[in-house]
Amino acid sequence: MARIVLTDHLNRFIDVQHFDVQGTTLQEILNAAFLKHPSLKSYVVDDQGNLRKHIMVFIDNMLLTDRENLSDIVQPSSEIYIMQALSGG
Amino acid sequence: MADRLWVATRKGLFRIDRNKDTWRINPPSFLGDPVSYVLQDPRDGIVYAALDLGHFGVKLHRSSDAGAHWEEITTPAYPKTEPEEKGASLTLLWCLAAGIIDQPGQLWAGTIPGGLFRSDNRGDSWVLNNALWNLPERKEWQGGGYDEPGIHSICIDPQNGACITIGVSIGGVWHSHNGGESWQPRGNGLRAAYVPPELSKINHFQDAHAIRSAATDPDTLWCQHHNGIFVSKNGGEKWTELLNVAPSVFGFALAVHPHHPDTAWFVPAVKDETRVPVNARLVVNRTRDGGKTFESLSKGLPEKQCYDLVYRHGLDVDKTGLQLAMGSTTGNLWISENSGENWQEIATHLPPIYAVHFSE
C-alpha cells in the first residue's frame, strides 16, 4: 500500500496526517484517498475533479509530471506528499 | 439600532459588539483565512461565512451560536462535465442572500465564475440556476477586477420571493419574476464607457459594481456602476444616470435606506486607474432626494493622506436606516449612528476588509 502524507496545513481541516491506500496511478491513489476520507476531496481537487492550481504532489520525492490526467505511476512502497504550493496563499 | 456587526476580512471574521458607548472587537474566527462574505440570516439568526482558502478552494461554514462554533457545510459546486468541455469550477463565493420570511432556509449564493446557486435547506445542499447559467449572453460575460465574471448583488423582493434582481461584474443586471425559472435583462439606461460606443448600451457589457434596493420599495433600485451612478424607479426597467456628482461617480460600495428609498449612500473614489479617495480625503456621499442632490459627509473620516478603498460589500446600513458601518482595504472600520453625519473610528489595524454586515 502506498502512503499518503498530508501537509500540516490540511491538518487544520482534516483530522489525519497520513494513511495508506492502494493504487497504481496517482488518480487511483487519490480516488482511494477520497473514498477513505471524503472531506479531503474538495480541498485537493476542484469542482471538475482537477488538481487544484496551488496544490503540489510529490511521489517518492519527485514532483508529479501529469497534472492533467494524474497518470504518474505509484509503487506499493511509494510515499505521496500532498502539499500546498507557495503560490496562491 | 443593531448591536452587532460582522466584519469579513483577508485574515478572518470579526464579530464586533456594542458595549455601551463603545464597540468591542472579539477574537476572530478563521484567523488567517480570507473570508469573502458573511451573512447573518435575519429569519433564524444563523451566520454563514464564505472562505476563500488560497490553496484549498472555497469553503462555507455555518454557526447557530453567533460564531462560538462553526460547522463546515456544503459549498456550491458547478456540475461536472466531460473533460473536453472544460467545465466551470467555483472560484469565489462573492455574496449570499437570505430568502424572504415565508421561505425559511432558502438562501441564494452569487459566485465567480458567474453561477447563481440556491439552497432550500440552510446550505446543506445547493443547486446551480441553469436558466441563468445557460443564457447565451452569459458566455460573453467578462471578468471585472477578478479574472472571471461574478455575481455580487442579489436583491429579493421582501413581499414576493420569486422576484429577484442580480448584478454581475461584468454581465449586467438580470431580473427573474418566477424564482429563477427565467431571466430578463434589466440594463436599459445603463452605459458602459469602456467598450466601443456601439456596444455601450448592451446589458451584458455593464459593470454594475453593486445593486441595492430598499426593503420597503423593491421597485427602487440603485446601481453603483463602473462609470456612473444610476437609479431606477421601476425595478430596473429603466435606469437614469445621475451626472455631475462630486467628487466622483466612481466607487464600489452602496447602501440604501430600508424605509426611505430615495436615500442612498456611496463611497466615491478616483476612477479605475488609481482607486483611492479623491484628493486622499475620504467622504461618504449621501442623497436624500432620489439622486437630485448629493452631499459629501466627512465628519470623523480621514481628511488627508487617506488611501482607503471601500469594496462593494464594505458598506452596510442597519434596519433603522440610521446606523452605517464602513470597512476599508486598509483595515479601517467606521460606524455612524446618525445616517452618516458623524463617523466613529472603531478599528484602524484590522486586515483588509471585504464585507461588513449588521446583525439584525
Side-chain angles (χ1 to χ4, degrees):
Chain A
M1 297 246 279
R3 168 151 293 197
I4 288 183
V5 182
L6 302 181
T7 169
D8 291 347
H9 288 262
L10 274 171
N11 296 151
R12 291 173 56 207
F13 311 109
I14 293 130
D15 189 23
V16 61
Q17 289 184 310
H18 53 78
F19 55 95
D20 297 341
V21 289
Q22 282 189 323
T24 58
T25 66
L26 182 58
Q27 182 71 74
E28 290 178 13
I29 287 287
L30 289 180
N31 289 344
F34 299 151
L35 272 178
K36 202 164 193 171
H37 297 286
S39 61
L40 178 64
K41 184 175 181 180
S42 76
Y43 285 78
V44 176
V45 298
D46 66 18
D47 303 16
Q48 300 301 325
N50 298 319
L51 198 61
R52 289 196 178 279
K53 184 179 178 182
H54 301 298
I55 292 280
M56 291 196 304
V57 177
F58 293 90
I59 303 167
D60 296 327
N61 298 322
M62 298 289 288
L63 190 60
L64 86 165
T65 58
D66 179 12
R67 290 187 73 91
E68 197 163 328
N69 298 309
L70 307 177
S71 64
D72 293 55
I73 300 298
V74 175
Q75 306 295 334
S77 59
S78 289
E79 276 196 328
I80 297 132
Y81 277 76
I82 297 179
M83 316 293 286
Q84 84 275 18
L86 295 188
S87 58
Chain B
M1 285 189 283
D3 291 326
R4 175 166 294 164
L5 178 73
W6 295 95
V7 181
T9 81
R10 175 73 177 79
K11 293 286 183 182
L13 175 66
F14 294 81
R15 198 188 82 193
I16 296 179
D17 295 322
R18 187 194 300 276
N19 184 12
K20 295 180 181 171
D21 294 333
T22 62
W23 290 81
R24 185 180 64 246
I25 303 172
N26 294 288
S29 300
F30 314 109
L31 178 61
D33 296 331
V35 182
S36 58
Y37 199 80
V38 57
L39 169 76
Q40 182 155 20
D41 190 331
R43 299 167 300 179
D44 54 19
I46 292 177
V47 186
Y48 299 87
L51 273 54
D52 175 26
L53 303 180
H55 302 92
F56 308 122
V58 174
K59 305 291 177 252
L60 186 57
H61 290 251
R62 178 173 69 191
S63 174
S64 54
D65 55 10
H69 303 87
W70 294 92
E71 61 170 329
E72 184 175 340
I73 58 174
T74 304
T75 303
Y78 285 81
K80 201 155 190 287
T81 65
E82 295 300 319
E84 61 272 17
E85 292 179 36
K86 294 191 186 308
S89 200
L90 183 64
T91 303
L92 190 73
L93 207 168
W94 210 358
C95 69
L96 289 162
I100 66 172
I101 196 75
D102 65 356
Q103 298 168 322
Q106 184 171 103
L107 299 169
W108 294 86
T111 73
I112 296 176
L116 178 70
F117 291 82
R118 194 187 82 198
S119 172
D120 292 322
N121 48 24
R122 297 178 173 82
D124 287 337
S125 62
W126 295 89
V127 177
L128 175 67
N129 184 280
N130 281 314
L132 186 72
W133 186 247
N134 293 330
L135 284 172
E137 295 91 336
R138 202 267 305 165
K139 292 181 176 166
E140 293 195 12
W141 293 2
Q142 304 287 319
Y146 291 97
D147 289 349
E148 299 171 293
I151 298 168
H152 49 67
S153 299
I154 303 170
C155 301
I156 301 171
D157 183 341
Q159 304 302 320
N160 179 1
C163 285
I164 305 162
T165 303
I166 63 164
V168 187
S169 283
I170 299 171
V173 182
W174 295 87
H175 177 78
S176 174
H177 65 276
N178 52 19
E181 287 181 27
S182 63
W183 295 87
Q184 292 78 42
R186 283 286 172 92
N188 184 19
L190 300 178
R191 174 183 65 85
Y194 41 81
V195 294
E198 289 187 8
L199 304 179
S200 65
K201 301 293 180 62
I202 293 176
N203 178 55
H204 65 265
F205 289 130
Q206 305 304 321
D207 184 9
H209 283 177
I211 306 276
R212 301 284 182 271
S213 62
T216 51
D217 178 14
D219 282 343
T220 296
L221 286 172
W222 290 87
C223 173
Q224 172 63 71
H225 186 283
H226 186 86
N227 52 255
I229 293 171
F230 298 81
V231 64
S232 171
K233 302 300 282 185
N234 49 21
E237 293 274 4
K238 180 77 175 75
W239 293 90
T240 301
E241 186 168 9
L242 306 175
L243 302 168
N244 304 316
V245 180
S248 165
V249 294
F250 180 85
F252 290 94
L254 159 61
V256 178
H257 196 294
H259 313 300
H260 303 299
D262 285 344
T263 296
W265 297 264
F266 300 81
V267 188
V270 181
K271 69 184 177 72
D272 43 357
E273 292 91 310
T274 49
R275 303 178 185 217
V276 296
V278 179
N279 297 324
R281 177 175 179 264
L282 186 62
V283 301
V284 172
N285 268 4
R286 178 180 66 185
T287 177
R288 293 189 286 185
D289 55 12
K292 294 185 184 73
T293 61
F294 284 82
E295 53 194 323
S296 291
L297 310 171
S298 62
K299 290 177 186 168
L301 298 176
E303 293 280 349
K304 59 183 180 179
Q305 297 176 348
C306 173
Y307 301 97
D308 295 53
L309 182 67
V310 176
Y311 281 153
R312 68 197 80 209
H313 302 128
L315 178 70
D316 195 23
V317 59
D318 78 356
K319 66 181 179 184
T320 69
L322 287 172
Q323 185 166 249
L324 292 134
M326 177 169 69
S328 80
T329 53
T330 313
N332 292 313
L333 177 70
W334 299 271
I335 288 178
S336 170
E337 296 181 349
N338 56 5
S339 189
E341 294 284 345
N342 300 87
W343 294 87
Q344 179 187 356
E345 192 175 77
I346 305 300
T348 54
H349 296 292
L350 290 176
I353 293 171
Y354 295 148
V356 297
H357 175 73
F358 279 115
S359 165
E360 302 292 4

